[in-house]
Amino acid sequence: MIYITSFTRLLFIATLLTVCLSCNKKFLDNTDKAKLTDELQWSSEGNADLFLNDIYSALPNYWNQAENLDNFTDDNDAGFYYTSYNWKQGIISPASNDYTIWGGITGSADITNWTSTFTSIRKCNTFITSVKKYADHFSPEWLNKRIDEARFMRAFFYSELWMHVGGLPVITTAADRRTMDSALIYTPRNTFEETVTFITSELDAVAKGGYLTAKYNHGDADAGRATLGATLALKGWVELYAASPAFNAAQPAAGADANKIAGYNNYDAQRWARAAATFKQFIDLYGNGKAYELFPDPAALWYEANEYNSEVVWDRQVVANTMGSSFEQYGGPVWISGAYYTWGNYCPTQELVDQFNMANGKPITDPSSGYDPQHPYVGREKRFYDWIVYDGAPYKMAWMTKGDTIYTRIDKVNPSKNQIDFGTDDVGNTGYYFKKRLNPLVRPGGGAVSGANFVYYRYAEVLLGYAEAQNESAGPDATVYKAINQVRKRAGLPDLPAGLSKQDMQAAIYHERRVELCFENKRFYDIIRLKTANTVMNVDKHAMKISNTVPADNSGVWKYEVVPLNHPHVFTQKMYLNPIPQDVIDRNPKIVQNPGY
């Protein structure tokens, strides 16, 4: 049974209304559009909600994009027919207006679209301006709450594009072609710092207003709307991102920047302190079980039945079949029980797999860890077995009538359809698949049939964000240990040893982020903001090749070899930011291009 909240119904109705009105040309031709907007659209809370719900419907549903941001990182090896394959060769062009994923030249923002983002921003402006204008039609409680929701949404849309391209035109005026002058039409880009200040000040005002709910739970009528928890989580993340080495420096990672759109052009340690303070505010007000805490079972955190659990801070609502997810089509083993099911898009590299510790908490590089290179999948930490599909892994989802065992080894006696061939078919080339975030109820290949929400931010990320920012600002104090050890404890790992240096703690936090947040669209932003992409993306990635020393009859031993994938990887300095689309600059000559393009 699928539970649909009142907000979800309104969201679906708003989507249908938009489609129906766009198709019913006769209705549009015989209606005074100004009268429809001014007198009907804002005549009641219900009608105004439909407008705001349409903005919610524009939230990016990353479930339904086969090109996951992890494809652009060193954690995943995707198919050659994707845009990320071109991007990993350094092929990126501002001339590209193709925002799709299939074999194109990487354009303005990988997944984020300049045009659609500013369409949503302008809708937020219209909503805020209009409900203020017709304030006497609404109750004060509704008005305050909905304005802050729209302000949060506007900040969220800005943040999504800002992370990819830097400083953006800050526009807060509702578009009105009858009164707009050229100054509003041709808005230049604000600096990086001005953009950050706008986003964070808006979120700070929402947080201080206190009109939103701290958290919604499963079954709440307004589940899916903005919350105070989401407001502080987003503010903390934006501050953390901006404080990071790629931007908080005399010269931004993307290169010399006279326009100050690619970074601050100076270093300020207080930027770390501000991020730490915001995350601490979240933890003090809402964390530690007040409204949010770590969900006990990380393997089931994304299951549909566990929506709005204690760890979920901000997500996008998804409803099976009507506004459904097709994520299960893209990832997981290609062949299950002898049948073809998925496209095999998400294949962990050996680099990522090696990050998972042993169950005793020690890295596999530690001679005392117990790691055996010829039995590499024995004795690993719980998250490895929860999220990674390796050679010989048992595989059983709820939709399956019986379990299967996935083999990726090269076996001439008992060949598996999942065995690596380093070819161009859907079968992965790394020797691994993943199962993190897959809906166990959904049989792959059925279309947009999953109803599991897409989670943008969760409490584990708040804890790790605080640990990083506080360590950079004040060093590895007791609060840093407490935050990161909570995440480790949930994973079944021991606490970090006492007495770590600031640099050692930094490395531990980076490691924990990479494992805990893998395949959640986080790694891309981390290698960009930490200014490590030029290191990790300019070298080949690796796979695990497993073969028998006597392949004719398997009478020998199974040999585990880490081998290069032989896929090109090029990352140049300008790629720390994506280009502004050339068609945007052509339409608005006040928009300047990013460094290097």
Side-chain angles (χ1 to χ4, degrees):
M1 178 178 180
I2 298 174
Y3 187 91
I4 302 178
T5 66
S6 298
F7 172 62
T8 308
R9 291 191 184 93
L10 286 172
L11 190 63
F12 185 46
I13 291 169
T15 304
L16 287 178
L17 207 58
T18 302
V19 174
C20 291
L21 289 178
S22 66
C23 295
N24 192 342
K25 296 180 181 179
K26 184 177 181 180
F27 171 81
L28 294 177
D29 290 342
N30 288 280
T31 301
D32 185 331
K33 298 176 183 60
K35 182 177 292 186
L36 174 66
T37 300
D38 295 336
E39 295 183 12
L40 180 59
Q41 182 71 76
W42 313 112
S43 62
S44 69
E45 294 175 3
N47 284 3
D49 268 343
L50 289 176
F51 191 97
L52 183 59
N53 294 344
D54 180 59
I55 299 174
Y56 274 103
S57 72
L59 285 170
N61 185 4
Y62 293 132
W63 280 141
N64 290 345
Q65 295 175 325
E67 186 77 309
N68 191 294
L69 264 183
D70 288 293
N71 291 16
F72 294 82
T73 76
D74 52 339
D75 281 359
N76 183 61
D77 181 70
F80 71 97
Y81 37 74
Y82 286 117
T83 293
S84 63
Y85 191 83
N86 289 322
W87 187 86
K88 286 182 176 180
Q89 298 176 74
I91 302 173
I92 183 169
S93 170
S96 174
N97 298 326
D98 180 10
Y99 297 99
T100 62
I101 60 172
W102 297 101
I105 303 302
T106 302
S108 68
D110 309 328
I111 290 175
T112 309
N113 181 317
W114 177 288
T115 303
S116 65
T117 297
F118 274 100
T119 296
S120 296
I121 289 169
R122 289 187 171 94
K123 285 182 178 180
C124 291
N125 292 338
T126 297
F127 180 86
I128 294 169
T129 300
S130 298
V131 296
K132 287 181 177 179
K133 179 179 179 181
Y134 295 95
D136 58 340
H137 294 177
F138 316 113
S139 70
E141 294 78 14
W142 181 95
L143 187 65
N144 289 328
K145 185 176 182 181
R146 293 297 190 256
I147 287 176
D148 277 2
E149 285 183 41
R151 293 177 78 179
F152 168 86
M153 293 287 285
R154 183 172 62 186
F156 178 76
F157 287 124
Y158 261 110
S159 73
E160 288 285 284
L161 188 57
W162 160 78
M163 289 188 290
H164 289 265
V165 300
L168 295 167
V170 174
I171 302 171
T172 59
T173 304
D176 187 342
R177 292 187 180 127
R178 295 169 297 183
T179 59
M180 275 201 311
D181 58 24
S182 60
L184 288 176
I185 295 174
Y186 300 115
T187 305
R189 296 176 69 180
N190 286 74
T191 66
F192 183 92
E193 182 171 12
E194 289 168 344
T195 305
V196 173
T197 299
F198 170 71
I199 295 171
T200 56
S201 62
E202 284 289 286
L203 295 169
D204 192 48
V206 173
K208 289 178 178 177
Y211 296 116
L212 303 184
T213 300
K215 182 184 185 342
Y216 289 113
N217 297 306
H218 189 70
D220 289 347
D222 279 345
R225 294 189 181 277
T227 64
L228 292 174
T231 299
L232 286 181
L234 177 59
K235 180 173 181 275
W237 166 247
V238 169
E239 289 170 336
L240 182 77
Y241 197 82
S244 299
F247 314 107
N248 189 11
Q251 177 174 300
D257 174 30
N259 296 302
K260 298 184 178 181
I261 53 178
Y264 286 105
N265 283 8
N266 63 63
Y267 175 78
D268 185 351
Q270 285 303 305
R271 292 175 183 134
W272 288 111
R274 284 194 288 272
T278 299
F279 285 126
K280 184 177 187 300
Q281 184 182 4
F282 183 110
I283 295 168
D284 290 345
L285 289 175
Y286 310 125
N288 298 321
K290 295 183 183 73
Y292 298 91
E293 61 184 347
L294 295 178
F295 188 69
D297 183 4
L301 191 148
W302 295 271
Y303 288 2
E304 190 172 351
N306 294 327
E307 288 175 349
Y308 301 104
N309 65 63
S310 61
E311 189 164 344
V312 175
V313 178
W314 173 233
D315 65 357
R316 187 199 193 280
Q317 285 201 327
V318 175
V319 180
N321 299 307
T322 55
M323 298 185 298
S325 159
S326 53
F327 185 66
E328 286 66 32
Q329 174 73 70
Y330 308 133
V334 174
W335 295 86
I336 303 170
S337 299
Y340 171 84
Y341 278 102
T342 80
W343 298 357
N345 290 359
Y346 307 134
C347 300
T349 60
Q350 190 64 46
E351 279 72 12
L352 172 60
V353 169
D354 286 348
Q355 294 296 307
F356 287 84
N357 287 332
M358 300 297 286
N360 57 20
K362 296 181 179 181
I364 66 171
T365 53
D366 186 331
S368 65
S369 68
Y371 176 73
D372 181 354
Q374 292 306 306
H375 297 90
Y377 312 133
V378 176
R380 304 296 287 270
E381 62 168 283
K382 182 178 183 298
R383 290 178 295 192
F384 175 80
Y385 301 108
D386 284 344
W387 297 340
I388 304 297
V389 181
Y390 52 92
D391 178 76
Y395 195 79
K396 174 66 170 71
M397 294 295 194
W399 63 267
M400 300 167 60
T401 57
K402 62 179 181 178
D404 191 15
T405 301
I406 305 301
Y407 289 104
T408 60
R409 65 185 60 185
I410 300 172
D411 189 341
K412 297 183 180 301
V413 179
N414 300 297
S416 165
K417 291 186 176 181
N418 283 311
Q419 78 176 28
I420 58 173
D421 57 8
F422 301 105
T424 57
D425 58 9
D426 286 341
V427 172
N429 295 314
T430 68
Y432 304 99
Y433 299 100
F434 87 125
K435 55 183 177 180
K436 187 180 186 182
R437 301 194 297 160
L438 294 180
N439 187 338
L441 300 175
V442 173
R443 175 182 176 272
V449 295
S450 174
N453 290 353
F454 183 91
V455 178
Y456 298 118
Y457 298 107
R458 56 189 178 96
Y459 187 53
E461 191 173 356
V462 172
L463 292 171
L464 293 172
Y466 173 75
E468 179 182 346
Q470 181 68 3
N471 184 60
E472 295 295 332
S473 176
D477 62 25
T479 66
V480 173
Y481 272 93
K482 181 178 179 181
I484 190 172
N485 282 337
Q486 285 183 63
V487 179
R488 289 174 60 87
K489 182 178 181 180
R490 198 261 303 269
L493 298 176
D495 289 349
L496 290 174
L500 292 180
S501 67
K502 180 178 179 178
Q503 290 70 31
D504 288 342
M505 178 60 79
Q506 182 188 74
I509 293 167
Y510 293 168
H511 170 268
E512 199 61 36
R513 284 188 65 88
R514 188 173 185 184
V515 174
E516 175 67 25
L517 303 176
C518 70
F519 284 96
E520 295 182 48
N521 285 0
K522 305 296 181 180
R523 176 66 176 170
F524 177 83
Y525 296 120
D526 280 353
I527 64 175
I528 293 296
R529 69 181 182 88
L530 298 175
K531 202 178 175 181
T532 58
N534 60 307
T535 300
V536 302
M537 296 305 297
N538 274 319
V539 293
D540 198 5
K541 304 302 170 285
H542 292 82
M544 180 63 81
K545 177 183 175 183
I546 307 170
S547 59
N548 200 279
T549 55
V550 184
D553 60 4
N554 289 346
S555 61
V557 298
W558 290 103
K559 182 172 60 174
Y560 292 77
E561 300 176 88
V562 175
V563 297
L565 285 165
N566 295 318
H567 291 169
H569 286 77
V570 175
F571 186 94
T572 59
Q573 184 178 20
K574 66 181 181 181
M575 291 168 67
Y576 276 104
L577 289 177
N578 280 46
I580 304 299
Q582 186 59 45
D583 67 322
V584 170
I585 297 175
D586 291 343
R587 291 195 303 269
N588 180 359
K590 289 188 177 181
I591 298 290
V592 296
Q593 186 56 273
N594 278 331
Y597 294 101

